[in-house]
Amino acid sequence: MKRLTLFALAITLIATVFAAKSPYQAVLQHSRIRGRPHGPNVCAMQKIQGTDKKYFTNCKQWYHRKICGKPTVISYECCPGYEKAIGEKGCPAALPLVNIYKTLGVVGATTTKMYSERAKLQEEIEGPGSFTFFAPSNEAWAALPAEILDALVSNVNIELLNALHYHMINKRLTSDDLKHGAAFPSMYQDFDVHIHHYSNGIVTVNCARLVKTDQHATNGIVHVVDRVITAITNNVNSLIDTDDDLDTLRTAVAAAGLTSLLENEGSYTIFAPTNEAFEKIPPDTLTRILGDPVALKDLLNYHILKNLHCSESIVAGTPLETLQGSVLEVGCDGEEMTINGKAVVMQKDKLGTNGVVHYINELLIPDSAKTLLELAEGSVVSTASKLFKDAGLTDHLIGSEAVTLIAPLNDAFKDKSLAMTPDMKKLLRNHILKERFSSKSLYHGQELETLGGMKLRVFVFRDNLCIENACIAAHDKNGRFANMFIVDKFLTPPMGTVMDVLKADDRFSTLVGAIQRAGLTELLNKKGTYTFFAPTNAAFSAVPSADLNKLMRDPKELASLLKYHIGDEFLVSGAVTSHTRMKPLEGDKLELGARNSTIYVNRVPVVEGDLMATNGVVHAVDVIIKPLPPKTVSDQAEGSTVRRTSAVRVSICHKLFFPINQ
């Protein structure tokens, strides 16, 4: 018992140690585990094909073998602080500790080493002290615009020295010390450098990614970064205020009263639409939003993330919450940063003291700033949108009425005529509710009034929420003044009782006669919630004439047969799952299922479903429904097998269609 307790304690301690690791250290540990078969201190790295970009690998990246949507190749390299030894496997040798100047050469930051010598920084980083040096890689210096690099190297004693000092902090900081959101005074006039340490293990300083981390030296530590960083002195509002490409955004921010937000302390990400982005929007839409303070504020807040995300932190699509309350899918495609799957980011990582700005060339309009028509057009309900316009209902879709649009998916119109008849216009008016509803507030038995004056019923099922025959197929779309429910079917409002529905359809003429002979007319006319799997004329025609005549002459047996087709509960086709059961008015349970958009009852397909009535629903079947064969259950017990047959009551219809030898 004591041994088990000690083991459990050891496991807990190990879990605690792993949990305490920084995200970077956790990813590094995973890379070590993946590299272990290649020897001690070997780390697995993922390199994006066709580039020099490498990453320590986490579980997700390892299995996907993709970063920013691009395939990666695995390489095995010495983990930080170790090197190979001749004739030995892996990287068993610890790197010798030397000063920072020499360490720059060891880690391959030779350009930074060269510029340190030119700027007379060598003596300082060879001497006593305890420094952290964010050293730009050779590729980072090569990527600098020529005019900036020329300005630095032409004035090495001031400009270049200042630039290098801005990459230094006057104390030793490991990756674990580089906490998300931290700021440390640099050795250039104490201007802060800004750290962001992301959950995927990426660490950035002023949005430059640390590509070689924790390279220890006798007088400090070196972290190699993938770009040359510059001093940050302005907040994000000042960045927007001084850029001519953001004139319209600046005006909109002031009109929405968001200036103080962007001036205050914070850690935001702003996707800043350029003047070009605003010009792409239809003038009427833009004028409406700019003239509506509520819609404008929602629009702008939809462009602001609650947390700061440098472009280098994104290695895959991630939903990120905006100040507006909804999310943007921020991802990447190779070098391109994407929003909701589109490469609309033109310029990245313009960093301010309280956030980062990414320039975009398309305006992002949230649902909360849209009219109903804008919600519907170009979406999965675009066919319905066109029909509503053709029916003369546009004013209800673009105005400030508090209504709810019930919009069927485009697939709902595959087999339907789209001719704009008077009946179609009337039906479309019954797809607009007089009030603004949320699907979360609907309840079973609720009645919703439409513009056409009809009352639609709400049905709550275990896995579905339906309005008459149409079930909610997606999340609500909540517009500026009105909401939209996306449903799987075109609405079929009730047109009389179950008996009225059957009488109005020539396919059920034999059934209507049978109902009358069986004395069930009153039942199917009275108030209730019936589900009738109604046999068509074809179903009765398939019964041998002698059996059918015998059945029709016996009202009691006929009633028993028909009641086996009627459930005393309401069930539209959208509520049927793979294993749904219903108790009929007489006989054993009915087994329902759904496969390839077809509903089955006791393995009989429903040929047309959801014929709605005020007291139930009718589903047409072309076969008389029979009880399923009895199930058998085998029980194993102590070396013997006992076979039992479940007891099933033999009903009238079972006798008729499954004769038993007497």
Side-chain angles (χ1 to χ4, degrees), residues 267-379:
S267 187
Y268 302 116
T269 302
I270 294 96
F271 293 108
T274 61
N275 299 336
E276 176 194 358
F278 281 99
E279 289 166 4
K280 291 179 180 178
I281 300 300
D284 290 346
T285 300
L286 186 58
T287 300
R288 176 183 63 77
I289 294 175
L290 293 177
D292 181 345
V294 174
L296 180 59
K297 191 170 183 178
D298 272 1
L299 173 80
L300 295 176
N301 280 337
Y302 189 57
H303 289 75
I304 305 173
L305 301 180
K306 286 187 172 181
N307 297 298
L308 191 150
H309 289 272
C310 299
S311 63
E312 285 294 331
S313 73
I314 307 297
V315 295
T318 307
L320 300 174
E321 190 174 358
T322 68
L323 290 186
Q324 182 263 344
S326 51
V327 298
L328 292 173
E329 182 78 15
V330 181
C332 50
D333 183 8
E335 294 292 327
E336 300 290 334
M337 194 174 180
T338 62
I339 303 175
N340 293 341
K342 299 176 71 175
V344 296
V345 178
M346 305 164 53
Q347 184 180 339
K348 300 178 283 190
D349 298 332
K350 197 163 185 180
L351 199 63
T353 55
N354 59 344
V356 64
V357 179
H358 305 295
Y359 288 55
I360 58 175
N361 60 12
E362 279 190 21
L363 197 63
L364 310 173
I365 305 180
D367 288 349
S368 60
K370 293 180 180 179
T371 64
L372 278 176
L373 188 60
E374 289 164 350
L375 289 175
E377 286 184 326
S379 72

Side-chain angles (χ1 to χ4, degrees), residues 543 547 550-551 557 561 651-659:
V543 178
D547 290 338
K550 180 182 176 183
L551 179 66
E557 285 195 10
L561 173 68
S651 64
I652 297 297
C653 51
H654 192 285
K655 290 180 187 175
L656 180 62
F657 296 108
F658 295 90

Side-chain angles (χ1 to χ4, degrees), residues 238-525:
S238 297
L239 297 178
I240 293 171
D241 224 15
T242 55
D243 195 324
D244 291 342
D245 282 339
L246 303 177
D247 283 342
T248 308
L249 176 61
R250 179 168 58 251
T251 302
V253 166
L258 293 178
T259 302
S260 59
L261 172 75
L262 300 184
E263 288 176 337
N264 294 338
E265 287 188 9
S267 187
Y268 302 116
T269 302
I270 294 96
F271 293 108
T274 61
N275 299 336
E276 176 194 358
F278 281 99
E279 289 166 4
K280 291 179 180 178
I281 300 300
D284 290 346
T285 300
L286 186 58
T287 300
R288 176 183 63 77
I289 294 175
L290 293 177
D292 181 345
V294 174
L296 180 59
K297 191 170 183 178
D298 272 1
L299 173 80
L300 295 176
N301 280 337
Y302 189 57
H303 289 75
I304 305 173
L305 301 180
K306 286 187 172 181
N307 297 298
L308 191 150
H309 289 272
C310 299
S311 63
E312 285 294 331
S313 73
I314 307 297
V315 295
T318 307
L320 300 174
E321 190 174 358
T322 68
L323 290 186
Q324 182 263 344
S326 51
V327 298
L328 292 173
E329 182 78 15
V330 181
C332 50
D333 183 8
E335 294 292 327
E336 300 290 334
M337 194 174 180
T338 62
I339 303 175
N340 293 341
K342 299 176 71 175
V344 296
V345 178
M346 305 164 53
Q347 184 180 339
K348 300 178 283 190
D349 298 332
K350 197 163 185 180
L351 199 63
T353 55
N354 59 344
V356 64
V357 179
H358 305 295
Y359 288 55
I360 58 175
N361 60 12
E362 279 190 21
L363 197 63
L364 310 173
I365 305 180
D367 288 349
S368 60
K370 293 180 180 179
T371 64
L372 278 176
L373 188 60
E374 289 164 350
L375 289 175
E377 286 184 326
S379 72
V380 292
V381 296
S382 55
T383 303
S385 168
K386 182 179 183 305
L387 285 175
F388 286 120
K389 287 193 293 184
D390 292 346
L393 297 171
T394 303
D395 288 347
H396 298 289
L397 305 184
I398 63 173
S400 57
E401 278 183 282
V403 297
T404 304
L405 180 69
I406 301 174
L409 291 165
N410 292 341
D411 285 348
F413 296 95
K414 280 183 178 177
D415 302 318
K416 290 193 177 293
S417 169
L418 302 183
M420 192 48 62
T421 62
D423 285 344
M424 175 67 87
K425 287 184 179 181
K426 181 179 178 181
L427 191 51
L428 289 169
R429 286 183 64 83
N430 286 319
H431 278 72
I432 303 177
L433 305 177
K434 281 187 175 181
E435 296 179 47
R436 185 175 187 176
F437 291 100
S438 161
S439 63
K440 291 180 180 178
S441 68
L442 300 182
Y443 56 89
H444 191 74
Q446 185 177 5
E447 289 190 337
L448 310 173
E449 189 174 357
T450 71
L451 289 183
M454 182 166 281
K455 296 287 183 69
L456 301 178
R457 299 163 297 176
V458 176
F459 300 101
V460 178
F461 301 102
R462 182 178 297 277
D463 299 309
N464 248 327
L465 173 66
C466 306
I467 301 172
E468 294 298 339
N469 63 305
C471 298
I472 304 293
H475 292 298
D476 300 358
K477 293 283 188 181
N478 302 318
R480 172 66 181 93
F481 299 104
N483 291 354
M484 181 169 73
F485 294 158
I486 297 175
V487 296
D488 60 350
K489 293 183 180 68
F490 203 57
L491 271 175
T492 306
M495 307 299 289
T497 66
V498 168
M499 200 63 195
D500 293 329
V501 170
L502 297 174
K503 285 180 177 178
D505 194 324
D506 290 340
R507 290 177 300 174
F508 302 116
S509 58
T510 305
L511 176 61
V512 168
I515 290 170
Q516 291 167 344
R517 287 189 184 92
L520 299 179
T521 303
E522 183 179 350
L523 173 73
L524 298 179
N525 272 324

Side-chain angles (χ1 to χ4, degrees), residues 21 31 50 93 110 180 287 406 439 443 483 488 556 567 578 604 616 632:
K21 287 181 179 294
S31 286
T110 53
H180 187 68
T287 300
I406 301 174
S439 63
Y443 56 89
N483 291 354
D488 60 350
K556 188 175 179 180
S578 56
V604 172
T632 59

